Amino acid sequence: MGRKYIDCREFPSEAKCTVAISADSEQELEEAAVQHAVAVHQHQDSAELRRQLRTMFKDGTPPAALG
């Protein structure tokens, strides 16, 4: 399995977050993404949040800039 990532820049929010997180496993990426979503975006850790985050995972590494 290759590297996976999630990039907040793809999901505009009031926080104007520019964090991108990548990992070698989906499990590791999920844990880091949940911690970020709870700490920065004030989401509650739940099964639904984890499902939603997993649908946003992409293969590879985040680009240096969007667009």
Side-chain angles (χ1 to χ4, degrees), residues 14-46:
E14 290 180 20
K16 296 182 179 15
C17 186
T18 62
V19 168
I21 303 168
S22 61
D24 288 335
S25 74
E26 285 193 16
Q27 181 179 4
E28 187 178 18
L29 180 57
E30 179 181 323
E31 290 304 318
V34 167
Q35 289 177 22
H36 174 74
V38 169
V40 175
H41 299 286
Q42 274 61 68
H43 291 288
Q44 294 295 317
D45 186 353
S46 67

